[in-house]
Amino acid sequence: MMASPAAALAGRLLRDLALRPRFLAPGSQAVQCTSRRWLNLQEYQSKKLMSDNGVRVQRFFVASTANEALEAAKRLNAKEIVLKAQILAGGRGKGVFNSGLKGGVHLTKDPKVVGQLAKQMIGYNLATKQTPKEGVKVNKVMIAEALDISRETYLAILMDRAYNGPVLVGSPQGGVDIEEVAASNPELIFKEPIDIFEGIKDSQAQRMAENLGFLGPLKNQAADQIKKLYNLFLKIDATQVEVNPFGETPEGQVVCFDAKINFDDNAEFRQKEIFAMDDKSENEPIENEAARYDLKYIGLDGNIACFVNGAGLAMATCDIIFLNGGKPANFLDLGGGVKESQVYQAFKLLTSDPKVEAILVNIFGGIVNCAIIANGITKACRELELKVPLVVRLEGTNVQEAQNILNNSGLPITSAVDLEDAAKKAVASVGKK
Ligand code: GDP
Ligand code: MN
């Protein structure tokens, strides 16, 4: 049986899947699609949160020009310096810049070299295993005090549906090739589910520290860091905190050498400071634009634009378009409380995609008032001089008034009685071209 198209879409809509460390479910379609609509912080921002909460990270500065990087390297006054390109994707160590420079992470003892390397990083694209082929533009670099690493382990804390709550995930073999460890030696991946009401127990932190291979006094230190990371995870409403490498130094310190934190966007109202740190510059422009109007946009590769409310309805719409022989070009999810201006913006975004040959509106008016949608649609059609066929299926609150608005508009809008009808009409309108 063919995999349901909705299942594929679900992977992009449900962030808990998209944000799971990739290696946990190799080959799963959902996990390969990283959604970039959600708040993502750069390493330096995550490390600031960590150090503010008692987690051990290296001293560092951030720079946006090569000169700033050079100055920062001097100011750091460290025996050795590590220079790191700041992009949201991992695998930087083994990445390549379109300036020709190899490696997004460099160690040197000479501040001057930091300046030279930064010049080949800032403003260039860094391509890694986790970025698109052309890479991602580097706007900032981190200049940190390098420490010797005697052992690299892997530690993550994530919200996991399979455990209905947080789980610690760790491996004594961390570092850059954790995906391969997961594939070839799954027995080296340890999990420790945590009861969110009871919190992390000492015994659990100790067990993980031991599984990670921390010995002697390092075991207590690692357990202490794990507990602090867990408490941070809760405090900031994270869905994932990933530290790779979670390393030890020859001097006997446990240090978080790298950091990747993802957040629960539903917690934005109580995490205002953190959400204000989002620079959004790495998101796709159309997604940014959508976020600005509180709309969620997901690009797909067909030709029927879908304007829906709610992730469930989006998936159903996707399925029924496929079942009727069509392919969705994208989705715009309107969410709950809708304003007329949002509908206008939504249409503007949907039609800015040159792939779009028809628009299917499928709105269920529960919280949404259908008349508001209808007014928004007619206004958008007029002002944007819509050139593609538009099929509208509205149902629910105030639907009669909405129908009247659409019918009396004099615009070439095709009404549909239900989802099936809407999909058929949308697919037919594309086929006719
Ligand atoms: P990633 O490749 O994007 O995951 O970037 P990381 O921050 O994890 O750095 C990649 C690798 O560089 C790490 O796995 C370490 O082996 C190495 N590295 C990073 N920081 C330091 C450091 O301070 N000292 C040493 N010796 N190696 C480091
Ligand atoms: Mn790393």
Side-chain angles (χ1 to χ4, degrees):
M1 206 179 89
M2 238 177 67
S4 147
L9 181 64
R12 303 190 63 174
L13 288 170
L14 302 176
R15 98 201 77 152
D16 56 338
L17 287 177
L19 295 181
R20 210 173 269 213
R22 286 154 198 256
F23 70 87
L24 288 184
S28 143
Q29 179 147 23
V31 181
Q32 284 167 1
C33 309
T34 43
S35 164
R36 284 177 291 149
R37 293 174 296 137
W38 315 102
L39 172 65
N40 266 307
L41 296 185
Q42 299 286 0
E43 177 192 9
Y44 75 92
Q45 298 172 309
S46 297
K47 282 189 170 168
K48 170 81 169 58
L49 289 173
M50 285 158 69
S51 77
D52 287 348
N53 287 276
V55 175
R56 190 172 297 121
V57 299
Q58 298 140 282
R59 290 191 294 126
F60 69 87
F61 293 114
V62 183
S64 336
T65 66
N67 207 38
E68 272 174 36
L70 169 67
E71 291 307 315
K74 287 185 197 156
R75 213 157 16 118
L76 203 59
N77 192 24
K79 244 184 24 225
E80 194 171 15
I81 305 150
V82 56
L83 175 66
K84 306 175 84 172
Q86 299 293 288
I87 59 168
L88 296 176
R92 293 165 300 169
K94 294 188 167 175
V96 180
F97 291 87
N98 62 355
S99 63
L101 181 69
K102 290 212 170 72
V105 177
H106 282 263
L107 290 157
T108 175
K109 296 199 159 75
D110 184 355
K112 278 207 293 297
V113 173
V114 169
Q116 290 156 7
L117 288 168
K119 202 177 270 179
Q120 301 170 72
M121 291 185 172
I122 297 169
Y124 292 99
N125 280 19
L126 173 58
T128 79
K129 264 201 283 203
Q130 295 183 13
T131 65
K133 252 210 222 83
E134 68 277 13
V136 173
K137 188 167 165 211
V138 176
N139 295 313
K140 287 191 166 75
V141 293
M142 177 181 191
I143 301 99
E145 171 176 39
L147 301 173
D148 290 337
I149 308 181
S150 40
R151 225 167 50 82
E152 300 194 345
T153 79
Y154 175 93
L155 180 74
I157 306 165
L158 50 138
M159 282 296 177
D160 192 329
R161 217 155 253 207
Y163 293 94
N164 283 321
V167 57
L168 301 180
V169 179
S171 173
Q173 289 195 13
V176 287
D177 289 323
I178 185 68
E179 287 90 349
E180 276 145 49
V181 175
S184 61
N185 295 78
E187 76 284 357
L188 290 179
I189 306 285
F190 296 91
K191 295 190 182 181
E192 184 77 42
I194 305 216
D195 182 322
I196 197 162
F197 296 109
E198 287 179 24
I200 185 168
K201 295 196 195 91
D202 283 340
S203 59
Q204 294 183 299
Q206 290 281 344
R207 186 155 55 229
M208 183 51 83
E210 202 169 303
N211 283 332
L212 295 184
F214 290 104
L215 300 172
L218 279 170
K219 187 172 136 188
N220 277 337
Q221 208 191 118
D224 179 59
Q225 290 289 301
I226 292 168
K227 280 192 286 185
K228 284 179 168 146
L229 282 164
Y230 177 79
N231 292 333
L232 174 66
F233 170 87
L234 276 195
K235 178 177 158 186
I236 60 178
D237 286 305
T239 52
Q240 182 189 313
V241 171
E242 187 183 40
V243 181
N244 187 31
F246 184 59
E248 70 179 63
T249 68
E251 293 79 28
Q253 288 205 311
V254 177
V255 179
C256 296
F257 285 93
D258 192 9
K260 177 97 186 77
I261 306 183
N262 295 122
F263 297 88
D264 179 353
D265 286 72
N266 290 317
E268 181 168 0
F269 72 97
R270 61 182 182 196
Q271 300 289 354
K272 293 222 162 65
E273 275 179 41
I274 288 174
F275 278 76
M277 290 158 78
D278 187 10
D279 76 358
K280 291 200 167 69
S281 62
E282 257 185 61
N283 289 9
E284 279 171 29
I286 192 154
E287 294 175 346
N288 281 350
E289 189 76 16
R292 206 168 304 143
Y293 302 102
D294 256 340
L295 299 162
K296 296 204 169 83
Y297 175 91
I298 293 172
L300 298 166
D301 51 17
N303 54 6
I304 299 174
C306 301
F307 183 31
V308 298
N309 62 333
L313 200 56
M315 285 181 249
T317 307
C318 176
D319 262 354
I320 207 141
I321 288 175
F322 271 109
L323 283 172
N324 285 282
K327 277 179 117 183
N330 53 36
F331 275 91
L332 233 163
D333 180 1
L334 204 54
V338 188
K339 293 181 229 60
E340 205 181 295
S341 61
Q342 275 183 309
V343 179
Y344 174 78
Q345 292 301 339
F347 267 77
K348 219 171 134 180
L349 287 170
L350 287 178
T351 51
S352 68
D353 181 345
K355 295 195 309 283
V356 170
E357 292 176 22
I359 299 178
L360 170 54
V361 175
N362 183 23
I363 302 282
F364 186 84
I367 311 169
V368 178
N369 180 342
C370 291
I372 291 179
I373 306 284
N375 277 324
I377 291 173
T378 53
K379 185 162 179 274
C381 283
R382 288 198 180 96
E383 292 182 21
L384 298 168
E385 296 174 23
L386 199 67
K387 305 236 172 20
V388 296
L390 172 62
V391 180
V392 180
R393 179 254 179 170
L394 295 172
E395 189 53 88
T397 309
N398 229 352
V399 66
Q400 206 45 57
E401 193 189 334
Q403 285 302 350
N404 293 340
I405 293 167
L406 294 179
N407 293 340
N408 298 333
S409 68
L411 292 162
I413 297 172
T414 309
S415 281
V417 289
D418 58 26
L419 188 42
E420 174 96 46
D421 186 36
K424 283 207 166 86
K425 285 173 171 161
V427 173
S429 76
V430 171
K432 260 187 280 171
K433 274 196 49 183

